[in-house]
DNA sequence: AAAATAGGCTAACATTTGTTAGTACAAAAA
DNA sequence: TTTTTGTACTAACAAATGTTAGCCTATTTT
């Protein structure tokens, strides 16, 4: 009876639709977030998953593949969102608000992945590394272009566009400290507060 | 003659007042910034310094000591600045502006250290780790208190204080991408742009 | 000039790391 | 039922890492 209990042939899939692979990726993201990519070892990931390190390789190709998956999952979502927003008929200010809300949502609801994607992408190996660098650069340019357009159309007050992009995208990273804080306001409230702070800084009075 | 040239008994101190120890710390900071603390090896640091890895230990106790020095150098400067600002007679808004300018200056002129201190402190070992956690928590609280005071005195518009702190401190981290950008505006211009964006978000109209 | 010190070097170490090979068994397919 | 497949395990490896020991020489002090 006890022996039967201790036999653990495979990872528990229980009932859900989540594959073993996805569980591993999810746990890896949590660990990468907590300790950083380099400091998190395959043995630690395996521990959390409840398996030996070697067993992970039945589901993934390498440690770096885990990082690839996490990073490009996030990056592709952002690129897709950018396309959606660009081709919309919204005003520049509304476009920016839309993107900001998307970022804030991501930081709140997919914290680990987004955080890892943002802080650990430097550890990607080529060709993924240069790919990611391009994707990030391009994203910032497109974001800047939207602001620029708003300034030209006089929807947005005259500011240095590069500085605005830099502030907005990094400010959102601050949600990390909201996660860590013990006395959290709700996610929705945080979103409104951030939007009001960041968007009001753009509006013409 | 050639032999004489190749003998390198010690690190070149050249003429300046910088000790070998300080050179090592400086180079370490650069590498920690570029690759992250865990990914930067003692052998790499030694390479950059122009020496064998083992030789580093004539000047420092351990790799972690390097991180300690870098992190607490920065943290202590911030604590000191906070004390100076708190005990000044400035308005709340002016206090905040003062602190922000200090942060921005730090990010521009002591980039490597500040960046490392901010992103890699998690790799400190105890008791330094908990020490740093306290110092950071305390700093944010004092920063928040200043804003809170400004709100009470109606110098600052009614905003969520925690959100404001989070945005401001993280926005400054964005200066990293200014460093990486090829077409930089001047540091002074960046400072003014950031201040105007962040401080105008606080002002009552 | 002699002695002491500082600080370089080589060699080696114990760990930790990512990863592979080979084996065994449970579930699914035949 | 038999076969095949998926997935876990143990054992092991090579490489990389932080660090120490011991030696040797240039510089400094006496």
């Amino acid at each position: 009876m006890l022996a039967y209990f201790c036999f653990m042939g495979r990872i528990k899939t229980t009932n859900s639709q989540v594959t073993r692979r996805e569980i591993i990726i999810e746990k890896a993201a949590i660990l990468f977030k907590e300790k950083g990519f380099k400091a998190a070892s395959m043995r630690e990931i395996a521990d959390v998953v409840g398996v030996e390190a070697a067993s992970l390789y039945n589901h993934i190709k390498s440690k770096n593949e885990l990082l690839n998956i996490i990073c490009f999952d996030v990056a592709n979502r952002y690129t897709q969102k950018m396309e959606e927003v660009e081709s919309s008929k919204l005003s520049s200010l509304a476009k920016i608000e839309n993107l900001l809300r998307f970022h804030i949502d991501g930081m709140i609801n997919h914290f680990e992945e987004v955080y890892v994607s943002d802080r650990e992408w430097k550890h990607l190996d080529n060709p993924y590394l240069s790919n990611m660098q391009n994707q990030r650069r391009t994203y910032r340019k497109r974001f800047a272009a939207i602001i620029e357009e708003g300034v030209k159309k006089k929807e947005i007050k005259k500011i240095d566009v590069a500085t605005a992009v830099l502030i907005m995208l990094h400010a959102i990273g601050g949600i990390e400290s909201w996660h860590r804080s013990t006395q959290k306001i709700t996610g929705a409230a945080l979103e409104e507060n951030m939007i009001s702070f960041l968007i009001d800084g753009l509006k013409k009075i």
Side-chain angles (χ1 to χ4, degrees), chain A residues 36-80:
Chain A
F37 175 72
K38 277 285 175 184
S41 75
M42 293 303 272
R43 282 165 180 83
E44 281 174 296
I45 296 172
D47 256 18
V48 174
V49 175
V51 98
E52 289 298 315
S55 304
L56 298 175
Y57 290 84
N58 285 319
H59 304 278
I60 53 135
K61 226 174 56 56
S62 68
K63 187 188 180 188
N64 260 279
E65 195 196 27
L66 285 170
L67 188 60
N68 291 344
I69 294 166
I70 294 167
C71 288
F72 283 94
D73 234 57
V74 174
N76 292 337
R77 278 205 307 264
Y78 282 133
T79 301
Q80 200 187 330

Side-chain angles (χ1 to χ4, degrees), chain A residues 24 73 108 128:
Chain A
I24 292 170
D73 234 57
I108 291 178
Y128 301 97

